[in-house]
Amino acid sequence: MNFLDYLARTTRNWTIFAIGFRPFYLLAALGMVVLIPLWLWSLHNGWLPASGLAPMFWHAHEMLFGVMGAVIVGFLFTAVRTWTGLQTPLGGELASFALVWLSARVAAILASAPVFFFLDIIFLPAAALRLADILWIAGNLRNLPVAGLLGGLGIVNLAFHLSVAGVLKASPLIYLHAGLSVLTVIVSLIAGRVIPFFTSNATGRQIVVPIWVDYAAISSTSAGLLSWVVGGASVLTAVLLLVAGCVHALRLWYWQPFAGRRNPILWALPLAYIWIPIALLLIAISPWLAGAATAGVHAMTVGATGGLVIAMMTRTARGHTGRPLKASKPEVFAYTAMFLAAALRVIAPALSPQLHTTTFYLAGAFLVAAFSIYVLVFAPWLFAPRVDGRAD
């Protein structure tokens, strides 16, 4: 019996591997809880991971391609089953994906650069190909671009590694920005599916968004961020990103964000999404305002992506474990902590440069607190069957 057969037999009846979101949401949350303090400690003590990545590159890579990659794959392994009616990876196959992801995270810290390279470049393309195969068999061509974007994120990850190794001459920072850009488009696409749907279901309101608004949001964001990655800060980039930011704000308005103001599990999503137009605006004005690009990157990563992730992870876990779609007090604290972390990373350094170090560590503490709550509240649920007796 080979290892994969053994893994399949061993995990066949494990509830944690019954559906995609269960292992990957938990792994992503644990990744945040472990990696953020380790990164802050490395900065303070001058420690380098065994893979040789500089602390800033290691941190950015693990957040973008590691943690966020896990969240997106977990979401898509769950959503594509609903979209197509076909089975997505579960049991031993799902455990294999989770093992590859976890091995890469450990390798970044403890293994040599070649080992990390080999393990890390497998996960995203393999997940994208598996999803594309399911969508193709189901004839669900409408959602194939999502799998394509996930594959694109994997290609950018490969380019990052080749840049670090000196094979590609461009700075690794370029590929981190490219990865952030692809991630932003993926998050924008997914948000456009779930936020109006959740709000409409919970409030009974009819939410109609003109199709041109959705297309304009995705296309203008893609064009603006591509210009930023390829051409850097310029007037053209600024114009494209300003247009994109305005369209995202209009899109959010059509979603009727105040309809869910009394329900934290609803308002957490638009509260996070509002960081997208803020981020695009900050990157747009970066040629004329020092520090705006860095603030924009953190608005996108901590505010928009982090906020949407914690909100989606809690809602998905509640819905798919048969629990009420009503956030508990700890979850509300987690949403608030994510927003405060974003505000500290984006706003506080500009208001008081002298407090930069303090706000830096405080933002990290809020991030760790938010995802620690997820682990403490949801981990027992993720290992247990649905409370309503239904199959996952």
Side-chain angles (χ1 to χ4, degrees), residues 32-102:
M32 293 292 287
V33 171
V34 172
L35 293 174
I36 292 291
L38 185 58
W39 171 60
L40 293 174
W41 180 83
S42 74
L43 288 179
H44 185 73
N45 293 279
W47 172 83
L48 288 176
S51 58
L53 282 177
M56 195 63 68
F57 285 160
W58 170 55
H59 165 67
H61 175 275
E62 291 301 276
M63 294 299 102
L64 286 175
F65 301 106
V67 171
M68 294 307 145
V71 172
I72 292 169
V73 169
F75 173 83
L76 291 176
F77 275 1
T78 304
V80 166
R81 193 178 74 172
T82 301
W83 296 345
T84 63
L86 299 180
Q87 189 58 263
T88 51
L90 79 165
E93 185 183 9
L94 182 56
S96 300
F97 275 103
L99 182 61
V100 169
W101 182 91
L102 182 59

Side-chain angles (χ1 to χ4, degrees), residues 195 252 257 266-275 303-304 307-308 335-336 339:
I195 296 179
L252 179 59
L266 288 182
W267 61 244
L269 288 164
L271 184 66
Y273 190 86
I274 200 171
W275 286 105
L308 287 167
Y335 304 153
T336 306
F339 186 85

Side-chain angles (χ1 to χ4, degrees), residues 124-350:
L124 292 172
L129 287 172
R130 187 69 176 90
L131 288 165
D133 181 56
I134 296 169
L135 291 166
W136 182 264
I137 291 172
N140 193 317
L141 304 184
R142 172 175 177 262
N143 289 304
L144 266 178
V146 180
L149 284 168
L150 184 64
L153 192 64
I155 292 171
V156 175
N157 184 36
L158 172 62
F160 169 83
H161 281 284
L162 293 176
S163 176
V164 169
V167 177
L168 297 179
K169 300 307 179 186
S171 167
L173 184 62
I174 296 295
Y175 300 107
L176 291 175
H177 285 171
L180 175 59
S181 300
V182 176
L183 182 65
T184 300
V185 175
I186 294 174
V187 166
S188 298
L189 277 170
I190 293 174
R193 302 281 181 86
V194 301
I195 296 179
F197 177 74
F198 291 164
T199 303
S200 180
N201 277 2
T203 64
R205 296 195 181 194
Q206 185 177 12
I207 297 178
V208 179
V209 182
I211 191 66
W212 71 264
V213 173
D214 283 329
Y215 282 129
I218 300 305
S219 59
S220 61
T221 302
S222 301
L225 291 174
L226 178 63
S227 179
W228 175 54
V229 170
V230 174
S234 66
V235 173
L236 174 61
T237 299
V239 171
L240 290 171
L241 291 178
L242 285 172
V243 170
C246 291
V247 177
H248 276 285
L250 178 63
R251 192 187 197 203
L252 179 59
W253 179 257
Y254 273 113
W255 291 345
Q256 304 179 36
F258 295 105
R261 62 188 178 277
R262 293 185 178 87
N263 188 345
I265 211 165
L266 288 182
W267 61 244
L269 288 164
L271 184 66
Y273 190 86
I274 200 171
W275 286 105
I276 292 182
I278 292 172
L280 296 173
L281 171 64
L282 287 168
I283 297 172
I285 64 175
S286 60
W288 304 281
L289 182 63
T294 301
V297 166
H298 286 113
M300 191 66 74
T301 52
V302 183
T305 305
L308 287 167
V309 160
I310 197 70
M312 277 297 303
M313 284 169 60
T314 55
R315 192 198 185 284
T316 303
R318 281 189 165 275
H320 280 273
T321 60
R323 289 174 168 82
L325 297 178
K326 183 178 181 180
S328 64
K329 289 182 179 179
E331 290 161 73
V332 175
F333 178 81
Y335 304 153
T336 306
M338 283 302 307
F339 186 85
L340 291 174
L344 285 169
R345 293 300 288 125
V346 174
I347 301 169

Side-chain angles (χ1 to χ4, degrees), residues 317-385:
R318 281 189 165 275
H320 280 273
T321 60
R323 289 174 168 82
L325 297 178
K326 183 178 181 180
S328 64
K329 289 182 179 179
E331 290 161 73
V332 175
F333 178 81
Y335 304 153
T336 306
M338 283 302 307
F339 186 85
L340 291 174
L344 285 169
R345 293 300 288 125
V346 174
I347 301 169
L351 296 178
S352 180
Q354 298 89 339
L355 295 177
H356 180 268
T357 301
T358 302
T359 56
F360 182 76
Y361 284 99
L362 188 57
F366 278 128
L367 277 168
V368 172
F371 285 94
S372 295
I373 287 170
Y374 185 86
V375 173
L376 292 172
V377 172
F378 289 93
W381 301 1
L382 298 175
F383 281 95

